[in-house]
Amino acid sequence: MLERIVDAVEHRTPDGIAAAISRLIRSGSLSAGERLPTVRDVASTLGVSPATVSTAWQALSGVGLITSRGRAGSYVLQAATPWMPPHFGELAGSHVTARLDLSTGTPDPSLLPDLSLALTKVPTRADTASYLSSPVLPGLEKHLRASWPYPVAALTIVDGALDAISRSLESLVRFGDRVVVENPTFPPFLDLLETLGAERLPVDVDDEGMLPARLADALALGPVAIILQPRAHNPTGMSMSAGRARELSRVLRAHDHVCDPVVIEDDHSGEISSSPAHSLGSWLPNRTLHVRSFAKSHGPDLRIAALGGPEALIDRIVARRLLGPGWTSRMLQTILYELLTAPASVDTVHDARRIYQARQRLLSEALVEQGLPHAPSDGINTWLPVADEKAAILTLAASGIRVAAGASFVAAPPVPDARPPQFLRVTAGRVAADFDEVAALLAVAARAE
């Protein structure tokens, strides 16, 4: 093993040594449970000080790749959580506690509304008049329709945004079909497509959304569906402009003679987004499925989202759910309705949106002060270009900060002999203070090689 490590080290610095071992672990050359050589042996063989190797070990431990067992030595940890789908599992990273965890993509718990009042509205018995009653509470449906970004034919409630995406894809996609995804994209979308045996067609995005010319190229290949995030895009934090939504709709109409893919929109950040809700459904209502999640605004553990679209598609999804979960608990729907209408919780979500917007702005301004070009993002995440992704992650880990690797979000296949762009996804919405300090550490990491 010592020879493998020495051969893999390109730069005899703490970052270089840590990066080499990280590559060996992630490639499978070093397996979970293997004991690493001693710090002294590695240092002696590389011709560096034990302190240099010890710093590398600390960085690897900080990102959960190795663990120290005292005098028994240091060991390689399991690289991913076995029960998770592969792309989703990459987001899990390690379970090592960090001083500041900016890797999660989850909302700040302190900004979520209090459930106490909503819980008093829940029936005292979990009863239902019939297994065939309407799956959506009438009051909740009326409220959602009033705030939907376009007049929608049919609407139902499902168990979160991913459940909505999964149900939509299962109703549309057959083995070998092609599906357009944004590049970069949310990794679980890639897991869903692989599970269905679909081929993904990555389309690049800019700060206004999916690039129309690239979408036109993909449409020539006859996809059956398109997955996009209209605002607070994960991972980049961009939101689609009204002009871009209109342009994408025109591109789709211009290719009607080739294909007529259904557009699946994941509005996962919903009410905490500071951007307007633009939907292709405003132009293409008969082929748009729009998902609105309440996880980031009202709480991830509610596991509830609304799905609206053409009656034929929604009815198909509702019918299939009747043969599985049946419906989303009306008790949960009652809680959501109360949260969406009670003045106190409405004010809390309004304040959260304002606070997230302020945090994004303050961190962005601090990054610019550090010499990094950056514009404020929407929602809770931002996308940071770096010189070397792995070096950046290890550098931040040494300072007690965790971030998500940009490579996990890339939908496009690697280009032979070309180094892919290097990025980090940073959950900026979890930075509540010390913006200058965090930006300074991010800037150092962004320049690390």
Side-chain angles (χ1 to χ4, degrees):
M1 181 191 294
L2 182 57
E3 290 182 0
R4 273 182 285 161
I5 292 174
V6 171
D7 290 343
V9 172
E10 297 173 359
H11 304 287
R12 300 188 178 196
T13 63
D15 285 348
I17 296 168
I21 294 178
S22 174
R23 288 192 294 271
L24 291 172
I25 293 173
R26 296 184 188 281
S27 69
S29 295
L30 294 180
S31 303
E34 282 196 77
R35 185 179 186 274
L36 294 173
T38 66
V39 167
R40 191 171 298 278
D41 284 347
V42 175
S44 175
T45 306
L46 288 175
V48 299
S49 71
T52 297
V53 178
S54 180
T55 301
W57 260 228
Q58 290 171 17
L60 290 164
S61 177
V63 295
L65 291 177
I66 69 171
T67 185
S68 173
R69 299 178 185 169
R71 292 184 178 179
S74 295
Y75 291 79
V76 177
L77 285 175
Q78 183 73 36
T81 307
W83 50 265
M84 286 191 177
H87 297 284
F88 214 156
E90 289 179 9
L91 292 181
S94 70
H95 298 288
V96 177
T97 302
R99 174 175 67 89
L100 181 61
D101 193 344
L102 305 180
S103 70
T104 62
T106 55
D108 184 337
S110 69
L111 299 181
L112 298 174
D114 190 329
L115 299 182
S116 301
L117 181 60
L119 289 172
T120 67
K121 307 294 183 179
V122 176
T124 56
R125 289 184 174 85
D127 194 14
T128 184
S130 168
Y131 284 101
L132 300 179
S133 297
S134 172
V136 185
L137 292 179
L140 177 59
E141 179 172 355
K142 182 179 179 180
H143 180 85
L144 290 170
R145 284 181 176 276
S147 61
W148 214 250
Y150 63 96
V152 67
L155 190 148
T156 193
I157 299 296
V158 293
D159 300 338
L162 266 182
D163 183 41
I165 305 295
S166 175
R167 299 283 176 181
S168 299
L169 289 172
E170 287 168 358
S171 71
L172 297 166
V173 177
R174 298 295 175 264
F175 189 89
D177 282 345
R178 291 167 169 159
V179 176
V180 171
V181 294
E182 297 160 316
N183 182 46
T185 193
F186 186 44
F189 295 165
L190 305 180
D191 286 315
L192 283 172
L193 296 181
E194 289 173 7
T195 299
L196 293 169
E199 177 187 348
R200 64 180 186 254
L201 302 177
V203 172
D204 291 342
V205 300
D206 62 12
D207 58 2
E208 290 189 68
M210 193 176 279
L211 295 174
R214 298 288 185 269
L215 175 60
D217 293 341
L219 291 175
L221 298 174
V224 299
I226 299 168
I227 308 173
L228 61 82
Q229 302 170 65
R231 54 181 176 171
H233 178 265
N234 188 355
T236 68
M238 69 83 184
S239 287
M240 183 170 61
S241 66
R244 181 59 56 83
R246 186 182 301 107
E247 194 172 357
L248 293 175
S249 299
R250 287 174 181 164
V251 170
L252 283 162
R253 281 176 173 161
H255 287 77
D256 279 346
H257 64 289
V258 178
C259 60
D260 58 345
V262 172
V263 178
I264 304 171
E265 297 177 332
D266 179 15
D267 187 15
H268 53 79
S269 289
E271 297 193 20
I272 64 161
S273 172
S274 57
S275 299
H278 299 304
S279 169
L280 271 66
S282 298
W283 296 273
L284 303 169
N286 294 326
R287 56 198 281 192
T288 300
L289 288 168
H290 185 83
V291 181
R292 178 175 293 172
S293 172
F294 302 93
K296 293 184 176 65
S297 56
H298 294 82
D301 205 37
L302 285 176
R303 309 313 308 147
I304 195 165
L307 172 63
E311 194 168 0
L313 289 178
I314 296 298
D315 285 352
R316 193 187 309 170
I317 291 168
V318 170
R320 178 63 185 88
R321 291 190 83 226
L322 280 173
L323 302 178
W327 63 88
T328 296
S329 168
R330 297 181 185 90
M331 301 174 79
L332 281 178
Q333 293 187 48
T334 298
I335 293 172
L336 177 61
Y337 177 72
E338 293 301 321
L339 291 174
L340 292 174
T341 56
S345 56
V346 171
D347 289 345
T348 298
V349 173
H350 179 272
D351 289 343
R353 179 169 61 249
R354 176 181 53 80
I355 291 169
Y356 285 130
Q357 186 178 22
R359 290 178 179 179
Q360 289 275 16
R361 176 178 54 80
L362 289 169
L363 183 61
S364 180
E365 290 173 351
L367 288 169
V368 171
E369 285 291 320
Q370 293 292 328
L372 295 182
H374 193 271
S377 300
D378 189 16
I380 63 174
N381 296 308
T382 196
W383 193 232
L384 187 67
V386 296
D388 184 277
E389 184 178 295
K390 291 178 180 177
I393 290 172
L394 292 169
T395 299
L396 288 168
S399 299
I401 297 177
R402 285 183 60 194
V403 292
S408 301
F409 300 85
V410 175
V415 178
D417 301 321
R419 187 170 183 264
Q422 305 287 294
F423 289 92
L424 301 177
R425 189 199 67 178
V426 180
T427 305
R430 298 300 290 263
V431 182
D434 302 321
F435 294 93
D436 290 339
E437 177 191 348
V438 173
L441 292 170
L442 288 172
V444 170
R447 298 182 178 108
E449 294 187 74

